[in-house]
Amino acid sequence: MNKEKLWQAVLAQLQLILSRSNFSLWFKKTFIKKIKSQGQKQVVEIAVPSLFAKETIETNWQQQTKEILESLTGKKTKIVFVVKTKTKPLDVKTSGPLFDFDAEKEKRNLLKKSLLKAGLNQNYTFQNFAVAPTNEMAYAAATAVSKTPGKAYNPLFIYGGVGVGKTHLMQAMGIGFLQRKPQGSVLYKTGEDFTNEIIEAIRRKNTGFFKKKYRNVAFLLIDDIQFIAGRDTVQEEFFHTFNAIKQMGGQIVLTSDRSPEEIEKLESRLRSRFEGGLTIDVQEPNFELRTAILLIKAKQAGEEIPIETAKFIAQQVESTRKLEGVLIRILSEKRLRGKKITPETIKEILKKPEKETKTSSPRASSKEIVSRVAQFYQLKVSQIKGKRRLKQIVFPRQVAIFLLRRELGLTYQEIGRMFGGRDHTTIMHSEKKIKEIVKKSPETKKEISSIKQGLA
Ligand code: ADP
Ligand code: MG
């Protein structure tokens, strides 16, 4: 097997373990750069597109990747990740006349660094965002704010259902701002990150650092702000952050799954501030928009798909999150088996129950998984998520962790956070433990499948 084929085979297996978004986010632009022998071992150098991707893969999937490589090659393997992107000839062509090539390159590097620092995903640009009647108001407001932050609407509050493009649009604003001002200070965080960070800062008696980090930002993007509702200290801190930034002339952008008015347990002084700028909703994407999103996503993945194909898929799949998953499955089918994309192949893929690809039900949320496990073992959710180390609680807790990994492909950090800020090594250990037990005990295996069956 050559490097390319080998890596395709590794990716195909990783795809079975990882959630679709994790897979496409972290593994899309990876490839094997080099394979060297070192005594009995082989050293496989894997190129990843960014430092962030490197760190994320190392912490979460290094072990699995290594095991897959070993099973495919039959050799003891050491893996090394290096940050490198494949430069396509296209990049050179688009970079303009030769004499400003270096300047362009430097600019791009600077931008990349700023994006990383701000916590932004470089694919979520305005260019990659399709506009339709369902989101055109939000888009117009977002571009205006991105161009003249602190002036147009402050805060800009965008709300709407799952997968309507709030996160994408919000990140595009940050990217647009940094494109014009690569040294600008932008920070993208989720409401959950903000919450965890302040709690951690209080625990470490280090709130000074936290305040400095947030209050001096020129462009603050907080995604899913509804998360802070009902938490007094967090809301208090956010209130001061909000005021400090606004006072300095900085911009604040917020997203939520509902309007400020509908967020329960939101302090009224926050509610009135959230409503003090512009509040805009984004509707579920219509058929045309879904088609456009597919075309954009395919292009990003380096593939062109015919419009008719995109239309066909958009007709059958309504949720954007699912759309991306289906597209990935179709493209990987094409890459792995050399299958042409025809309506038949698409139908086949859509018909295939997702269980077959082991990623399982996309509808089961992390909450459902935890509560289903709790119910099964007749415990409370708070006990499962809690700190007590009684044997009759520890095992169900490990099962929940195992299922969150397997069914949703959550990262160790994500699960750690869900379980009261546990360290990622603890989570890793729990997963491993259950994996081992399942291998040895058919009863446990059965037990876990019956929990799984109870999930949506
Ligand atoms: P939300 O935050 O509202 O739940 P996301 O921003 O995460 O939704 O969008 C889900 C997926 O759909 C992302 O991959 C995003 O890039 C894509 N998407 C949603 N709307 C659009 C759009 N108008 N144009 C391009 N991609 C979109
Ligand atoms: Mg979102």
Side-chain angles (χ1 to χ4, degrees):
M1 233 189 299
N2 65 19
K3 307 198 288 247
E4 279 79 11
K5 281 254 166 65
L6 174 63
W7 192 236
Q8 286 301 334
V10 173
L11 290 180
Q13 292 204 24
L14 280 169
Q15 213 167 357
L16 300 179
I17 313 173
L18 268 66
S19 75
R20 292 188 216 107
S21 50
N22 272 340
F23 181 82
S24 74
L25 210 52
W26 307 115
F27 285 92
K28 205 151 63 185
K29 293 203 173 128
T30 56
F31 57 96
I32 293 183
K33 200 169 153 247
K34 223 191 288 170
I35 303 180
K36 289 184 293 200
S37 329
Q38 194 180 72
Q40 303 281 44
K41 269 190 189 168
Q42 60 177 355
V43 181
V44 180
E45 222 176 277
I46 299 163
V48 297
S50 66
L51 193 61
F52 193 32
K54 177 172 181 282
E55 283 168 4
T56 311
I57 297 175
E58 273 173 354
T59 342
N60 296 292
W61 303 292
Q62 174 151 344
Q63 185 59 24
Q64 280 106 322
T65 310
K66 177 174 153 297
E67 280 170 12
I68 295 171
L69 272 165
E70 288 182 337
S71 76
L72 286 169
T73 58
K75 283 189 203 151
K76 273 243 159 277
T77 303
K78 181 177 166 204
I79 49 183
V80 185
F81 291 98
V82 290
V83 179
K84 187 161 177 63
T85 42
K86 256 188 181 156
T87 30
K88 297 187 189 139
L90 195 75
D91 287 345
V92 181
K93 255 192 265 154
T94 52
S95 64
L98 256 187
F99 53 84
D100 67 2
F101 181 69
D102 278 349
E104 277 290 317
K105 201 168 147 195
E106 202 158 294
K107 221 167 117 189
R108 246 185 294 156
N109 281 342
L110 184 61
L111 179 63
K112 265 199 184 147
K113 266 192 210 145
S114 321
L115 292 184
L116 201 67
K117 203 168 142 216
L120 296 165
N121 173 344
Q122 57 176 346
N123 288 324
Y124 285 165
T125 56
F126 282 128
Q127 287 90 328
N128 284 342
F129 190 83
V131 186
T134 53
N135 62 21
E136 64 186 353
M137 288 282 287
Y139 175 81
T143 45
V145 167
S146 174
K147 262 189 207 137
T148 51
K151 300 209 170 61
Y153 314 105
N154 209 1
L156 175 61
F157 191 102
I158 302 172
Y159 71 96
V162 174
V164 298
K166 304 181 297 292
T167 296
H168 187 143
L169 199 53
M170 170 180 248
Q171 296 217 9
M173 299 171 69
I175 297 176
F177 176 73
L178 284 175
Q179 276 167 342
R180 265 183 299 276
K181 231 179 142 185
Q183 312 276 23
S185 71
V186 176
L187 192 57
Y188 167 88
K189 289 281 174 184
T190 62
E192 190 178 358
D193 291 334
F194 185 87
T195 303
N196 291 333
E197 283 178 32
I198 183 69
I199 291 171
E200 183 64 16
I202 292 169
R203 198 176 66 80
R204 293 197 178 174
K205 304 187 176 54
N206 192 9
T207 49
F209 179 74
F210 178 90
K211 288 183 177 139
K212 206 165 144 210
K213 172 171 164 187
Y214 277 93
R215 296 187 188 180
N216 292 316
V217 171
F219 207 123
L220 181 67
L221 309 159
I222 304 282
D223 205 356
D224 292 317
I225 189 72
Q226 76 274 4
F227 196 87
I228 70 167
R231 297 161 214 253
D232 292 345
T233 3
V234 184
Q235 297 196 78
E236 162 99 28
E237 187 54 40
F238 189 72
F239 178 74
H240 294 302
T241 305
F242 188 105
N243 292 342
I245 292 179
K246 232 182 135 179
Q247 224 159 38
M248 284 189 332
Q251 174 72 42
I252 295 148
V253 183
L254 306 167
T255 71
S256 164
D257 59 354
R258 61 205 96 162
S259 70
E261 197 185 8
E262 291 164 324
I263 304 176
E264 280 167 38
K265 296 192 190 149
L266 181 67
E267 277 185 14
S268 58
R269 57 181 183 171
L270 278 178
R271 180 168 297 136
S272 67
R273 271 175 180 67
F274 291 178
E275 286 167 343
L278 179 68
T279 306
I280 258 182
D281 71 325
V282 185
Q283 304 280 329
E284 295 294 320
N286 58 13
F287 167 69
E288 285 75 21
L289 182 55
R290 293 201 301 277
T291 310
I293 293 176
L294 272 167
L295 293 171
I296 293 175
K297 296 277 174 202
K299 207 162 181 188
Q300 261 171 251
E303 306 257 356
E304 300 267 348
I305 56 171
I307 279 211
E308 288 310 315
T309 308
K311 276 184 170 167
F312 186 79
I313 304 171
Q315 236 159 22
Q316 328 259 333
V317 183
E318 293 205 332
S319 116
T320 39
R321 297 243 169 122
K322 231 172 154 182
L323 214 53
E324 203 176 359
V326 169
L327 181 71
I328 291 170
R329 278 158 74 194
I330 290 170
L331 293 179
S332 76
E333 197 84 357
K334 185 174 157 227
R335 267 196 290 251
L336 280 177
R337 297 186 231 283
K339 271 195 189 167
K340 267 189 94 170
I341 313 176
T342 61
E344 284 69 43
T345 22
I346 296 166
K347 269 194 203 145
E348 215 176 282
I349 288 169
L350 288 174
K351 247 197 299 181
K352 236 189 241 174
E354 293 184 66
K355 287 239 164 64
E356 255 179 53
T357 58
K358 280 198 202 153
T359 39
S360 162
S361 164
R363 283 169 302 275
S365 67
S366 51
K367 230 178 170 170
E368 278 163 326
I369 290 180
V370 176
S371 71
R372 173 79 190 132
V373 172
Q375 190 192 3
F376 188 89
Y377 293 103
Q378 302 187 338
L379 294 168
K380 292 197 198 104
V381 167
S382 58
Q383 288 175 307
I384 297 265
K385 286 192 171 177
K387 296 262 183 235
R388 295 192 68 186
R389 305 220 22 98
L390 291 175
K391 203 171 150 215
Q392 61 269 40
I393 301 181
V394 170
F395 177 71
R397 184 179 295 145
Q398 290 172 335
V399 169
I401 290 169
F402 170 82
L403 284 171
L404 287 166
R405 280 288 290 172
R406 161 121 346 157
E407 298 299 302
L408 299 181
L410 297 186
T411 64
Y412 294 123
Q413 280 95 338
E414 281 167 336
I415 300 175
R417 269 188 248 136
M418 276 182 64
F419 285 73
R422 279 186 168 81
D423 191 66
H424 75 266
T425 50
T426 316
I427 305 298
M428 227 186 257
H429 170 77
S430 305
E431 186 198 19
K432 204 168 142 213
K433 196 87 197 249
I434 298 295
K435 264 191 188 160
E436 279 162 11
I437 297 176
V438 166
K439 262 191 214 150
K440 289 185 204 129
S441 144
E443 288 92 76
T444 313
K445 199 173 172 182
K446 247 202 227 146
E447 209 167 288
I448 291 179
S449 11
S450 68
I451 296 176
K452 262 169 70 174
Q453 266 159 22
L455 296 168

